[in-house]
Amino acid sequence: MKKIKVMSVFGTRPEAIKMAPLVKALENDGRFESIVCATAQHREMLDSVLEIFDIKPQYDLNIMAHGQTIVDISNKVLKGVDDVIKKAEPHIVLVHGDTSTTLNGALAAFYNKVPVGHVEAGLRSYDMYSPFPEEVNRKLTGAITNLHFAPTKTNENNLLSEGVNKEKIYVTGNTVIDALLSVINENHIFEDETLNDIDFENKKVILLTTHRRENWGEPMENIFKAMIELIEGNEDVEIIFPMHKNPAIRELAHKYFDKYIGRVHLIEPLEYVEFTNLMAKVYLIMTDSGGIQEEAPALGKPVMVLRTETERPEAVEAGTVKLAGIEKEAIVNIANELIKNKDAYKAMAQATNPYGDGKACGRILEIIEENFRLERGQR
Ligand code: UD1
Ligand code: UDP
């Protein structure tokens, strides 16, 4: 029988991580021909993931430029993916999540009348400016999607409340858990010597990441000031901050933390296997990342989310994630409670897994096949 040509489009680190197990599943399944179109909205951070999962994109648009704007990315992705679709002629295009690559990859497919499968569909914060521009990217992508792969029931309900056809929504779990389970190893030894030298037993090590556009400027300064107050007030606290590649974030981090080297470890973004195994070892995670909010609960690590909202309420409800906001006082107070009060810490350090059982990719493949055959009247 004819193979189904599935083209996966992605370009940033989190999309690559969450699409990687799906691409591998497609490659290993004789029913499909897998085509990868990497936009390379990110370069080094994307390449690191491609290498870990041994994915060699058939198409690489190589669009990243330093100081790129959302419009720059959008223009290049729309035109680049359009060209690739015309050449590769896929039966379906898969996009992931909420980036500029996601929306413009989906739009290019729609303009070519190629069906779109949206992986990680239906997350909503209901604030169009936070996360910015991701909330709107995700919503607009949903409007031109044929198959919605929703990680949770909550995500499905969001789509239903917007009038999406129930028959085209599938609750699959999040592929982030498929990826995570493939890389976590209790005996992991870090390649990065700085990490091997850290005393995880006797120190309270906080892992910090921050990159969101809406946190640029004052909110990020508040976050950094809070971190300094935590170090000055707690002798046993150390901070590891793998700095996102965005120069705006790196400059600010150096300005605040260079004086505290030794207590604050400013390091390059870690490759995925190193990062996830580091999450499993630290005391506490503080982040504005989306993906980390999904991974940490599965590892039983308390997470303070450095944002005013989250489109991922499931782990907040389960108790592993706290919305800490972006004000210095609140961040310091919540963190101090977790540092000093064992019961408060234990109550949050529970492994919960609202985001899936690690089998999302298998489900997505079955759904693609079923819909493809149905459309062609082969069943
Ligand atoms: C993008 C996504 C965001 C996602 C985030 C994940 C949009 C609008 N934003 O934000 O949704 O959460 O990725 O990390 O789609 N850079 C490098 N090397 C890299 C990656 C980035 O040097 O490998 C630098 C470049 O100077 C680039 C800048 O970071 O111009 C910003 O990258 P960009 O993709 O525009 O925004 P992010 O903040 O990474
Ligand atoms: N991550 C990584 N190295 C790092 C920081 C994060 O591999 O130094 C991984 C993390 O495990 C998660 C993903 O990157 O899977 C999150 O990406 P990011 O925070 O850039 O984007 P978001 O999830 O907020 O869109």
Side-chain angles (χ1 to χ4, degrees):
M1 201 173 286
K2 196 173 165 190
K3 288 198 183 207
I4 308 168
K5 276 201 214 179
V6 181
M7 187 165 113
S8 305
V9 177
F10 52 85
T12 65
R13 171 174 64 190
E15 295 165 85
I17 290 169
K18 293 165 167 185
M19 288 299 274
L22 195 51
V23 169
K24 297 318 279 182
L26 286 164
E27 283 176 0
N28 292 323
D29 190 321
R31 293 173 296 175
F32 301 97
E33 179 186 336
S34 171
I35 306 163
V36 171
C37 173
T39 65
Q41 175 177 335
H42 286 171
R43 190 68 274 173
E44 307 92 304
M45 283 161 55
L46 170 76
D47 290 344
S48 157
V49 181
L50 294 175
E51 197 182 316
I52 288 168
F53 288 93
D54 190 26
I55 293 172
K56 296 181 178 65
Q58 284 83 349
Y59 300 92
D60 189 325
L61 305 179
N62 197 25
I63 67 157
M64 195 193 89
H66 293 291
Q68 63 195 3
T69 65
I70 297 169
V71 172
D72 297 332
I73 306 168
S74 302
N75 281 335
K76 290 189 210 166
V77 171
L78 186 58
K79 176 73 179 114
V81 176
D82 178 53
D83 290 344
V84 171
I85 289 175
K86 290 192 162 65
K87 231 181 266 167
E89 299 185 331
H91 295 118
I92 180 168
V93 166
L94 299 182
V95 294
H96 181 281
D98 58 13
T99 70
S100 297
T101 286
T102 316
L103 173 59
N104 292 284
L107 201 53
F110 171 68
Y111 287 153
N112 284 282
K113 297 205 175 136
V114 176
V116 173
H118 188 196
V119 183
E120 205 184 84
L123 282 67
R124 295 288 185 272
S125 69
Y126 296 106
D127 177 346
M128 71 189 287
Y129 290 107
S130 187
F132 174 86
E134 290 82 4
E135 172 75 1
V136 169
N137 283 350
R138 205 185 285 271
K139 233 176 140 176
L140 295 179
T141 302
I144 47 176
T145 287
N146 302 73
L147 299 177
H148 305 258
F149 302 112
T152 70
K153 192 87 191 122
T154 307
N155 306 145
E156 179 186 41
N157 287 338
N158 291 340
L159 291 168
L160 288 173
S161 73
E162 290 168 18
V164 176
N165 179 356
K166 188 170 174 39
E167 289 182 6
K168 295 295 169 195
I169 310 172
Y170 301 87
V171 178
T172 58
N174 197 315
T175 59
V176 76
I177 304 296
D178 301 37
L180 184 70
L181 297 182
S182 74
V183 294
I184 282 290
N185 174 0
E186 262 182 40
N187 304 316
H188 180 80
I189 296 172
F190 295 109
E191 280 170 24
D192 184 325
E193 277 311 317
T194 325
L195 300 179
N196 283 326
D197 291 344
I198 291 173
D199 183 358
F200 292 100
E201 297 298 314
N202 299 305
K203 301 281 179 195
K204 295 207 167 103
V205 180
I206 299 175
L207 176 59
L208 170 71
T209 83
T210 171
H211 71 81
R212 301 231 76 87
R213 273 183 161 69
E214 62 277 9
N215 277 349
W216 292 0
E218 199 185 324
M220 211 169 279
E221 300 212 22
N222 292 343
I223 293 168
F224 291 172
K225 285 178 191 161
M227 303 312 286
I228 289 172
E229 214 166 301
L230 288 170
I231 308 173
E232 289 181 337
N234 297 282
E235 273 180 6
D236 56 347
V237 166
E238 285 189 21
I239 292 163
I240 305 177
F241 183 21
M243 290 179 292
H244 190 284
K245 280 281 182 193
N246 195 323
I249 295 160
R250 299 165 79 88
E251 277 162 29
L252 199 67
H254 281 294
K255 179 178 147 199
Y256 275 89
F257 295 134
D258 275 355
K259 294 195 273 301
Y260 296 90
I261 295 303
R263 301 285 304 283
V264 181
H265 306 277
L266 288 186
I267 58 176
E268 287 302 308
L270 287 165
E271 51 162 81
Y272 178 59
V273 183
E274 294 269 279
F275 187 79
T276 44
N277 282 287
L278 177 62
M279 275 201 286
K281 281 213 163 57
V282 297
Y283 183 78
L284 171 66
I285 297 169
M286 294 169 73
T287 190
D288 62 9
S289 158
I292 295 169
Q293 290 177 59
E294 296 157 343
E295 292 161 339
L299 301 170
K301 290 296 161 183
V303 183
M304 287 174 53
V305 174
L306 306 170
R307 291 167 54 173
T308 51
E309 47 54 45
T310 179
E311 66 282 68
R312 294 166 167 90
E314 296 86 352
V316 177
E317 279 151 25
T320 338
V321 168
K322 249 195 186 92
L323 209 50
I326 44 169
E327 298 302 333
K328 188 187 80 168
E329 287 307 311
I331 297 170
V332 170
N333 290 342
I334 296 170
N336 268 331
E337 176 76 356
L338 292 169
I339 290 165
K340 295 174 202 286
N341 179 339
K342 270 197 184 135
D343 292 336
Y345 181 82
K346 269 197 197 144
M348 273 185 86
Q350 310 285 346
T352 53
N353 204 341
Y355 298 109
D357 57 2
K359 295 179 181 152
C361 295
R363 291 189 189 102
I364 292 172
L365 261 52
E366 293 312 312
I367 296 158
I368 293 174
E369 207 228 351
E370 189 184 309
N371 275 275
F372 180 79
R373 304 279 172 229
L374 268 180
E375 246 174 49
R376 282 169 170 67
Q378 292 177 4
R379 229 177 232 174

